[in-house]
Amino acid sequence: MTHHQPRIDTSPKVSDEIRKTTCYMCACRCGINVHMREGKVAYIEGNRDHPVNQGVLCAKGSAGIMQHNAPSRLRSPLKRVGPRGSGEFEEISWDEALKIATGWLAPLREKDPSKLAFFTGRDQSQSFTSFFAQNFGTPNYAAHGGFCSVNMAAAGIYTMGGAFWEFGQPDWDHTKLFMLFGVAEDHDSNPIKMGLGKIKARGARVIGVNPIRSGYNAIADDWVGITPGTDGLFILSLIHELLRAGKIDLDYLARFTNAPVLINGAEGPEKGLFLRDENDKPLVIDRKTGKPAAFDQKGVRPDLGASYEKDGVTHITVMQMLAERYMDPQYSPDAVAETCGITAAKIRTIAAEIARVAFDEAFELDHEWTDFRGETHKTMTGRPVSFHAMRGISAHSNGFQTCRSLHLLQILLGTVEVPGGFRFKPPYPKPVRAHPAPHCGVTPGKPLDGPHLGYVQGPDDLCLKEDGSPARIDKAYTWENPMSAHGLMHMVISNAHAGDPYKIDTLFMYMANMSWNSSMNVGGVQKMLTDKDESGDYVIPRIIYSDAYSSEMVAYADLILPDTTYLERHDCISLLDRPICEADAAADAIRWPVVEPDRDVRGFQSALCDLGARLGLPGFVNEDGTQKYADYADYITNHQRKPGIGPLAGWRGEDGESHGRGAPNSDQIDRYIENGGFFVNHIPEGANYYKPWNAAYQDWAVGMGLYDSPQPYLFELYVETMQKFRLAADGHGERQPPEHLRDRIRRTLDPMPVWYAPFEDDVVDTEEFPVHALTQRPMAMYHSWGSQNAWLRQIHGHNPLYVPTKIWQANGFAEGDWAEVTSAHGKITVPVAHMAALNENTVWTWNAIGKRKGAWALDKDAPEATKGFLLNHLIHELLPPKGDGLRWANSDPVTGQAAWFDLRVKITRADPPPAESQPSQPPIKSPVGQGPDELRWEVGK
């Protein structure tokens, strides 16, 4: 009898069509192929042609199908009918919803636009939402950066014209030593994973600096389990060792940084400011002539060690000041080891390894290039050491100076914008002067007098009213946090509730879960959102909220504008905003509706186009008053920020053959769709390194519309802007800080990187609260919207508190135990788990896993609500009182970034353990109800 093999279809038909778009499950913005079957989403895979991920897709991206089908999706506009916080709504039409919004907002615009506070969360359309707010005329706009990583971005811009992550990346092809500082797994995860695989395959070393050894740090060749908040001191100790050993790139420092710039050393209003020529250009001493010269003068060779007398005042170089400061014994490994939790020997070993790779393994590329002084170089020098850092070192009250310290380290080594080092992604690098200053000029019935956010150049750029009070509700750009480039979203609700600096009428938020995981002081914020005044009216009179899902924040709004999922919308990942560029190319991308919504929802940006027209905002109506942009796709195609420059760089001009600059093209979005949803324009060879000083790159950037003219500049080892604020604190200048802030400004706004202990250490008893408490975001989740995803929940259904061996044994913990964790602000009771690879005085957990009962269409007994929890209950937006009668913001004093990671706690065993995590709040009523127990279907059947 003949044996017959069974017939198995090894290539079953997955789909009848593939639609290419951009993922939205984290901020990587990877390219995806969405497989469609009978008009429905069947499967999502990576796009192998995409410049970001080259086909790689993580669990989040693959699970996008469950995000699209989530039971928690909002279904129609909603109007609150019960008390705020009750979750009681009635469904209304879009026309009624927009009429309500218009009725609330139009009177504000005509009388006082600042009565609107418009803040957005982790959306990726901030150039558009800021455009709406600017045309409305309110100064009160910002996005989530103030509580995420503004320290990283602002420190990078002020120091070198760009920063990590979306601003730049390591030279994965040439680096031989890669150091990560404070990087969790959620940010830029696919490109980093691909890069780590590439460099480890050829034997490059990876050093992870993080109190927690998970994710990238788990595969590092060397893990440095640093004490939280001390990274800056550790970095300055590395600098100390490199200076002592002479292992710095003097030629690089002389040519490309302000190390040779002359500084006024005399007491008085000019102390610490640069010596400048009649064109306001900083002066250096030319080694050939021995005379002062503008830094960018053709043929000048700056002298790092010069001094110069003018009008009886001695001027010395930045380099001399820098060497004197960091060679001081206070930065020696022996002096910092105990504070950092790292042995002095370890610090010396790492410094020696960095120096060895940077200088002993230096190499040359045969690429001729011409610098901004007109000098032609036959080769490019490679220094194969690169760094990457994120929120872990940013979210501290000393985070700005810590981030600056890291930038200083890589600049001293000469590893920025060179082969093997850190490389900028277009549209960066950009000097500070290429960015606007913040604007706050309010005129009833008119747009704001300029962009909300920007980079101050001194006290004159602060957002203050004539009486010196803050012009913005979040107090951004004030003496409390003068360089707050992203605003202070975490302070908006508490300031509005307190009426400090003034009362608002309407709080309008998008994708900002401010009643839960995006807020410090969760219970307090919920009370502020529901609190009423003596007359029985809500203290914050009106709240409009937009989201795609029934999050915890929905219950606290008066009007809900339901957003689409990312597969149902147009989006623009723009060079005007947060593009998908790589170091060798400018690139941007779109999303487009690969499926149409089956609910009465609209993309938020399209809803704003309608709302803006109803309000008659100048940017949203034609001269005859008719609506200018039918929807967001129309805006993306036809809006011009300035002549020839629009949201998308590709296929511009009437024929679609222009890139970067050109008139709008009606077929532009179709061209993107045909190309897989993205556009790429590669930087010419020879222009792709030394970007800030490379004449060929500067010319290419002008052609692409990144600059209007070449913008060469020097890296700022010494930030003169910060010295201007210190001079004001010393009594110089017309704008003066309040008395109680003078000492803090002098101490924290040092123009060269400095380290000071996190503020919470100064205001709590560190013997009573000896343990540091941190959160990280896991690779399989991205903020709160991922942890309601049916597939991803199976990876992270709840989050224990991870406890190091020393604390575990001291408390007699066993698996299955619970702990009481107490801070100066509150207490939580949570499940614990043992983790050995952890700084011995640190506990941590995954962020945004814990859910409030009733939210996200989850069962009230879902593990996220019974065993999941937030550390946010332990954190306050204000620091504990310190006896001076003031309550200081729990923020970085330079930028105002929320200091999430300064938290100090004590921990004890909970006996008996509770039935569920505490605090346990009452369930909230969800307008979408509870989802089914199982989500099961098969596309095509």
Side-chain angles (χ1 to χ4, degrees):
M1 183 176 178
T2 305
H3 177 72
H4 295 281
Q5 291 287 347
R7 294 184 178 181
I8 299 174
D9 184 359
T10 57
S11 299
K13 183 180 180 181
V14 175
S15 57
D16 45 41
E17 183 184 3
I18 296 175
R19 298 178 178 177
K20 299 176 184 288
T21 186
T22 305
C23 189
Y24 198 10
M25 295 298 288
C26 79
C28 284
R29 289 79 51 86
C30 296
I32 53 174
N33 297 338
V34 182
H35 289 256
M36 307 295 297
R37 193 167 183 180
E38 298 180 10
K40 295 183 178 180
V41 180
Y43 171 62
I44 298 175
E45 66 175 348
N47 179 355
R48 297 189 180 191
D49 298 321
H50 199 273
V52 171
N53 58 315
Q54 299 165 38
V56 173
L57 200 62
C58 68
K60 298 189 297 293
S62 298
I65 186 172
M66 305 307 289
Q67 205 73 10
H68 170 64
N69 291 300
S72 60
R73 292 173 301 163
L74 295 169
R75 297 167 186 151
S76 67
L78 301 168
K79 180 175 69 173
R80 179 177 58 81
V81 293
R84 195 181 285 170
S86 67
E88 296 176 6
F89 293 92
E90 69 175 14
E91 294 188 356
I92 58 176
S93 68
W94 271 99
D95 185 61
E96 183 179 355
L98 292 172
K99 281 181 179 177
I100 292 172
T102 303
W104 291 351
L105 298 178
L108 305 184
R109 184 167 190 269
E110 292 307 313
K111 294 178 181 178
D112 184 359
S114 64
K115 294 293 185 181
L116 168 66
F118 180 47
F119 285 78
T120 69
R122 295 173 181 86
D123 69 293
Q124 296 168 14
S125 59
Q126 291 162 22
S127 70
F128 174 74
T129 50
S130 66
F131 180 72
F132 176 90
Q134 186 176 333
N135 277 277
F136 186 90
T138 179
N140 296 317
Y141 166 83
H144 82 289
F147 63 68
C148 181
S149 54
V150 63
N151 277 335
M152 185 59 64
I157 296 293
Y158 276 105
T159 307
M160 59 184 190
F164 300 113
W165 189 28
E166 291 164 322
F167 305 97
Q169 68 186 74
D171 186 352
W172 299 113
D173 291 328
H174 297 102
T175 196
K176 297 180 181 180
L177 177 61
F178 179 45
M179 284 190 74
L180 303 96
F181 286 81
V183 181
E185 294 94 287
D186 64 321
H187 277 100
D188 206 23
S189 58
N190 283 340
I192 288 182
K193 285 182 288 188
M194 294 158 61
L196 285 168
K198 180 181 287 188
I199 65 174
K200 287 181 76 71
R202 64 166 192 271
R205 281 180 54 77
V206 177
I207 300 175
V209 182
N210 195 313
I212 306 158
R213 189 167 198 180
S214 64
Y216 310 132
N217 297 282
I219 65 165
D221 300 285
D222 199 352
W223 170 60
V224 181
I226 196 166
T227 299
T230 67
D231 303 79
L233 189 59
F234 167 56
I235 293 165
L236 294 178
S237 187
L238 295 176
I239 289 172
H240 172 90
E241 287 295 287
L242 293 169
L243 288 169
R244 286 184 65 249
K247 294 295 186 178
I248 58 175
D249 191 332
L250 295 174
D251 184 64
Y252 182 97
L253 293 169
R255 291 177 183 272
F256 306 132
T257 79
N258 69 1
V261 169
L262 297 164
I263 293 180
N264 188 314
E267 295 295 330
E270 301 295 317
K271 181 180 180 180
L273 300 183
F274 295 152
L275 184 63
R276 296 174 179 271
D277 67 8
E278 63 278 6
N279 296 315
D280 204 38
K281 291 186 176 181
L283 294 174
V284 300
I285 297 297
D286 185 357
R287 285 186 301 182
K288 294 184 295 184
T289 66
K291 297 180 179 179
F295 79 92
D296 60 349
Q297 185 173 310
K298 301 295 182 184
V300 71
R301 291 295 183 92
D303 189 339
L304 288 172
S307 62
Y308 181 69
E309 294 280 339
K310 183 179 181 182
D311 300 328
V313 174
T314 299
H315 298 74
I316 63 172
T317 64
V318 169
M319 188 67 212
Q320 293 174 72
M321 295 179 63
L322 186 148
E324 180 179 354
R325 170 172 293 188
Y326 300 121
M327 291 183 74
D328 189 287
Q330 68 174 306
Y331 295 110
S332 71
D334 293 310
V336 309
E338 183 177 358
T339 301
C340 296
I342 309 169
T343 66
K346 183 78 165 181
I347 296 172
R348 292 189 179 95
T349 297
I350 293 173
E353 178 71 357
I354 291 171
R356 184 190 66 77
V357 177
F359 295 98
D360 295 352
E361 298 195 28
F363 61 96
E364 302 286 331
L365 294 183
D366 291 328
H367 293 326
E368 184 175 292
W369 68 287
T370 301
D371 68 26
F372 66 104
R373 296 188 180 98
E375 183 174 348
T376 298
H377 306 262
K378 296 296 184 183
T379 62
M380 295 179 172
T381 300
R383 300 213 180 277
V385 176
S386 58
F387 300 88
H388 184 73
M390 263 318 291
R391 191 186 300 111
I393 68 169
S394 181
H396 291 281
S397 52
N398 58 19
F400 179 83
Q401 291 286 17
T402 292
C403 295
R404 283 209 68 229
S405 299
L406 183 54
H407 298 320
L408 174 61
L409 171 61
Q410 55 182 349
I411 291 169
L412 288 173
L413 292 165
T415 64
V416 180
E417 262 307 313
V418 302
F422 171 82
R423 305 177 65 197
F424 293 116
K425 301 177 183 180
Y428 297 92
K430 285 185 180 180
V432 169
R433 66 172 184 269
H435 295 268
H439 291 74
C440 61
V442 175
T443 304
K446 300 292 184 182
L448 200 68
D449 62 339
H452 301 84
L453 305 177
Y455 290 83
V456 300
Q457 300 291 297
D460 290 344
D461 292 332
L462 292 178
C463 290
L464 301 173
K465 295 182 178 180
E466 289 186 6
D467 63 0
S469 65
R472 293 173 52 105
I473 189 65
D474 60 354
K475 300 186 182 181
Y477 303 108
T478 65
W479 294 106
E480 291 187 24
N481 28 252
M483 297 163 71
S484 43
H486 291 177
L488 281 76
M489 190 169 177
H490 58 292
M491 296 302 299
V492 172
I493 292 172
S494 57
N495 288 356
H497 178 264
D500 179 18
Y502 49 78
K503 294 283 188 180
I504 65 167
D505 179 273
T506 301
L507 176 63
F508 190 178
M509 288 191 160
Y510 174 48
M511 284 184 68
N513 200 5
M514 298 305 292
S515 73
W516 197 245
N517 65 282
S518 291
S519 184
M520 296 173 165
N521 185 21
V522 177
V525 168
Q526 291 172 352
K527 185 177 185 304
M528 294 173 199
L529 293 171
T530 56
D531 203 11
K532 294 184 177 181
D533 60 23
E534 294 177 354
S535 62
D537 297 322
Y538 286 112
V539 174
I540 301 175
R542 298 180 179 90
I543 299 175
I544 306 173
Y545 185 57
S546 180
D547 204 327
Y549 305 99
S550 183
S551 70
E552 286 87 354
M553 183 63 201
V554 166
Y556 294 92
D558 305 311
L559 180 66
I560 300 293
L561 305 179
D563 194 17
T564 64
T565 71
Y566 72 100
L567 296 178
E568 301 167 322
R569 64 184 301 125
H570 279 100
D571 263 332
C572 177
I573 302 99
S574 169
L575 285 165
L576 300 179
D577 201 343
R578 302 167 69 181
I580 60 165
C581 300
E582 296 297 304
D584 288 316
D588 58 15
I590 65 164
R591 296 185 188 93
W592 59 285
V594 298
V595 287
E596 293 297 325
D598 58 358
R599 310 163 317 287
D600 190 15
V601 299
R602 296 182 185 179
F604 177 67
Q605 294 77 13
S606 290
L608 280 189
C609 288
D610 193 340
L611 181 58
R614 290 172 185 245
L615 291 166
L617 304 186
F620 291 81
V621 294
N622 299 306
E623 291 184 5
D624 63 0
T626 57
Q627 185 166 332
K628 188 170 186 177
Y629 303 113
D631 53 22
Y632 192 40
D634 190 7
Y635 170 90
I636 292 170
T637 302
N638 293 303
H639 174 71
Q640 294 189 80
R641 192 53 54 99
K642 54 186 177 182
I645 304 295
L648 293 173
W651 298 288
R652 301 192 65 80
E654 293 184 5
D655 58 1
E657 298 303 316
S658 298
H659 302 308
R661 297 178 183 270
N665 169 23
S666 60
D667 296 326
Q668 188 180 40
I669 288 180
D670 289 338
R671 297 292 296 273
Y672 271 80
I673 293 172
E674 292 168 5
N675 197 57
F678 65 92
F679 161 78
V680 170
N681 187 14
H682 290 276
I683 301 169
E685 187 172 327
N688 50 354
Y689 290 102
Y690 296 96
K691 295 185 185 82
W693 321 289
N694 189 323
Y697 174 80
Q698 295 286 319
D699 291 342
W700 176 86
V702 170
M704 275 295 297
L706 306 182
Y707 314 140
D708 287 334
S709 62
Q711 298 285 332
Y713 62 97
L714 299 177
F715 285 168
E716 304 282 332
L717 307 183
Y718 180 103
V719 176
E720 188 184 36
T721 292
M722 301 179 76
Q723 180 62 14
K724 292 177 182 178
F725 286 105
R726 294 176 92 201
L727 288 172
D730 286 336
H732 301 295
E734 294 184 6
R735 273 194 163 175
Q736 291 288 294
E739 287 299 321
H740 71 277
L741 289 175
R742 290 184 187 274
D743 286 343
R744 190 174 85 163
I745 289 169
R746 293 187 194 100
R747 181 165 63 100
T748 61
L749 270 79
D750 197 302
M752 290 194 297
V754 66
W755 184 83
Y756 50 87
F759 285 173
E760 182 151 335
D761 288 6
D762 294 332
V763 293
V764 303
D765 185 341
T766 55
E767 292 188 4
E768 181 183 2
F769 301 104
V771 180
H772 300 269
L774 304 176
T775 60
Q776 286 195 151
R777 290 195 171 92
M779 198 174 289
M781 297 287 183
Y782 188 70
H783 307 296
S784 59
W785 66 75
S787 50
Q788 51 100 14
N789 183 291
W791 287 357
L792 300 178
R793 291 182 63 211
Q794 298 176 58
I795 303 174
H796 295 284
H798 67 279
N799 54 310
L801 182 73
Y802 293 100
V803 178
T805 302
K806 184 178 82 169
I807 297 174
W808 184 268
Q809 292 177 345
N811 285 274
F813 286 128
E815 291 299 331
D817 277 354
W818 292 58
E820 287 187 356
V821 186
T822 308
S823 72
H825 173 61
K827 181 171 72 174
I828 60 177
T829 307
V830 298
V832 292
H834 181 210
M835 181 176 180
L838 180 58
N839 177 276
E840 65 176 12
N841 292 310
T842 300
V843 296
W844 75 281
T845 191
W846 298 118
N847 188 30
I849 304 299
K851 294 283 179 282
R852 184 168 176 184
K853 294 179 180 181
W856 302 99
L858 298 177
D859 185 282
K860 64 180 178 61
D861 295 321
E864 291 88 347
T866 56
K867 289 188 175 181
F869 65 93
L870 300 177
L871 283 185
N872 306 49
H873 295 285
L874 301 177
I875 309 171
H876 202 285
E877 72 273 10
L878 300 175
L879 290 170
K882 59 178 184 177
D884 57 5
L886 302 170
R887 289 297 300 272
W888 299 73
N890 188 11
S891 306
D892 186 289
V894 182
T895 66
Q897 170 161 350
W900 297 98
F901 293 170
D902 285 359
L903 179 62
R904 288 277 202 155
V905 301
K906 59 183 175 182
I907 182 170
T908 58
R909 188 169 177 268
D911 191 15
E916 55 188 41
S917 300
Q918 300 295 320
S920 178
Q921 297 183 332
I924 52 175
K925 184 178 179 180
S926 169
V928 301
Q930 183 179 314
D933 292 336
E934 291 186 358
L935 287 176
R936 183 177 297 181
W937 71 91
E938 186 173 345
V939 174
K941 292 186 178 180

